[in-house]
Amino acid sequence: MPLVSMRQLLDEAAKGGYGVGAFNVNDMEQIQAIMEAARETKSPVIVQASRGARQYSQDNFLYHLMLAATELYPEIPTVLHLDHGNSVETCKTAIDMGFTSVMMDGSLNPDGKTPSTFEYNVDATRQVVEMAHAKGITVEGEIGCLGGIEDGHGAGLDGLSHLTDPDQAVEFVKLTGLDALAIAIGTSHGAYKFSSKPTGETLKMARLIEIHNKLPNVHLVMHGSSSVPKALQDIINQYGGKLKPTWGVPVEEIQLGIKNGVRKINVDTDNRLAITGAIRKVFWETPEKFDPRDYLTPAREAFTTVGAAPMTQFGQAGHAGDYAPIPLEEMARRY
Ligand code: G3H
Ligand code: 13P
Ligand code: ZN
């Protein structure tokens, strides 16, 4: 099966009442791990690459690895998505490369840090929608800003300073014509989201529900959705790491989101923790080893295990065979 549009996956998820995890990758092992998790759970999957990932892997390597994934996992509907595109130009290079979905994150200025104006966001997102839809490619936009800047995307602070305004979200969708809307409800990127277990109050779930009620047909996206499990933190610290105690987004809150219009859930940090824990364990227990396969193999396995769990929790498991891919040309005609 060729790479498919994200719009098709999210439309199917809406019909089935489930969510689809979007997992960040940077290299071959991470792509292999997430495809294997998708096969184990029979899940459609969104594989996403940030600007940093594209730079690290070089676009051509990443794209051709993804083509290999579609050849080796032909039964899995797979999307290649640009995560946090910072400008129209960045989205254009992804579209030209063969990505089947792009995020224009115009909630921030092109520096990826400072909150932008509503007008800038509408203008940049609208331009990307016109360019992408002409080729059947999906567009995610964002209104409101996430907190934290530890990984380079976010407005800093605690995640509560730039929550999504529901009326502005309605206006934004109307003016841009996007396919999926990322909203800010109090979370942030990275491992250090909360200093104690968050509740539905901490996470502003009521606001998410309000946005869904105003935009019942829009696919909502939750960024910063790693649950940062204590078990993964403990493995890292047991083998010489120095993570401070921290809490992520409880899976029950994501599941409540899925009942209220959330169709795409972004997860990166949990997989990073799994990989790092597995590598540290090998280094700690067998310091004499130096063949990268000795630590990259368990790292890849750990990512597969940690990646398969949300696929089941979000409900996408078992849905890989539900539908045939719609060609991008046909998607373009439908817009
Ligand atoms: O939202 C950010 C993702 O976790 C990707 O992070 O820019 O370090 O690749 P990155
Ligand atoms: P986490 O840092 O919670 O994994 O979020 C990832 C993300 O939102 C990527 O866009
Ligand atoms: Zn994000």
Side-chain angles (χ1 to χ4, degrees):
M1 176 180 321
L3 289 168
V4 297
S5 77
M6 189 166 82
R7 179 67 195 239
Q8 186 184 7
L9 256 72
L10 300 188
D11 285 348
E12 290 289 338
K15 272 192 246 164
Y18 59 90
V20 184
F23 303 95
N24 289 76
V25 298
N26 301 271
D27 61 23
M28 181 184 76
E29 285 78 6
Q30 292 173 345
I31 293 173
Q32 291 172 328
I34 209 63
M35 294 311 298
E36 205 48 42
R39 172 165 285 167
E40 273 176 21
T41 57
K42 299 185 173 52
S43 298
V45 71
I46 301 164
V47 178
Q48 59 186 12
S50 66
R51 270 184 299 142
R54 291 175 65 191
Q55 225 165 20
Y56 174 81
S57 62
Q58 300 177 35
D59 259 2
N60 293 64
F61 279 113
L62 188 76
Y63 179 63
H64 286 276
L65 286 168
M66 287 304 299
L67 291 187
T70 62
E71 288 166 14
L72 292 170
Y73 298 83
E75 80 282 16
I76 304 295
T78 305
V79 175
L80 176 57
H81 173 78
L82 168 68
D83 191 25
H84 293 285
N86 66 321
S87 67
V88 177
E89 183 51 31
T90 302
C91 294
K92 183 175 182 317
T93 58
I95 291 169
D96 291 346
M97 188 72 242
F99 283 60
T100 52
S101 179
V102 293
M103 176 183 190
M104 174 63 230
D105 183 357
S107 72
L108 300 171
N109 285 313
D111 64 6
K113 292 182 177 62
T114 48
S116 67
T117 63
F118 181 73
E119 291 70 28
Y120 165 82
N121 196 357
V122 168
D123 181 52
T125 308
R126 179 73 227 161
Q127 284 186 54
V128 173
V129 166
E130 276 166 21
M131 180 170 64
H133 283 184
K135 296 187 170 178
I137 289 163
T138 312
V139 179
E140 173 184 341
E142 175 162 334
I143 187 90
C145 305
L146 267 71
I149 48 167
E150 68 189 76
D151 58 8
H153 318 276
L157 307 172
D158 56 2
L160 295 173
S161 314
H162 302 281
L163 297 176
T164 302
D165 176 277
D167 291 323
Q168 215 178 39
V170 172
E171 192 65 6
F172 187 66
V173 169
K174 196 170 81 190
L175 293 172
T176 58
L178 49 63
D179 302 283
L181 180 68
I183 55 170
I185 54 160
T187 186
S188 53
H189 289 125
Y192 298 104
K193 301 182 196 304
F194 305 107
S195 51
S196 59
K197 188 175 177 193
T199 63
E201 286 296 298
T202 329
L203 265 169
K204 311 296 171 212
M205 295 308 289
R207 188 170 296 223
L208 183 152
I209 293 167
E210 192 186 342
I211 296 167
H212 174 56
N213 288 340
K214 285 179 188 268
L215 291 167
N217 300 317
V218 171
H219 303 311
L220 300 180
V221 183
M222 273 176 79
H223 282 245
S225 296
S226 279
S227 47
V228 197
K230 183 161 182 316
L232 293 182
Q233 300 176 42
D234 287 348
I235 293 174
I236 290 182
N237 287 340
Q238 182 183 347
Y239 296 108
K242 282 205 167 76
L243 293 178
K244 292 173 278 175
T246 178
W247 278 261
V249 179
V251 169
E252 314 84 73
E253 302 297 349
I254 297 174
Q255 288 168 333
L256 175 61
I258 292 169
K259 288 199 178 86
N260 289 281
V262 170
R263 298 291 158 233
K264 173 174 183 269
I265 304 105
N266 283 19
V267 177
D268 186 0
T269 297
D270 285 352
N271 304 322
R272 292 178 172 187
L273 294 173
I275 290 167
T276 300
I279 291 176
R280 278 192 172 280
K281 184 169 189 294
V282 175
F283 285 173
W284 186 270
E285 288 179 343
T286 47
E288 70 282 6
K289 289 197 180 221
F290 60 88
D291 180 341
R293 291 170 296 189
D294 288 336
Y295 50 87
L296 292 179
T297 303
R300 190 170 57 189
E301 285 165 4
F303 187 169
T304 296
T305 305
V306 168
M311 291 179 182
T312 303
Q313 291 156 344
F314 301 163
Q316 74 207 78
H319 288 285
D322 287 1
Y323 47 93
I326 301 173
L328 292 179
E329 301 73 33
E330 171 58 20
M331 290 303 295
R333 273 194 293 276
R334 293 185 184 189
Y335 286 117

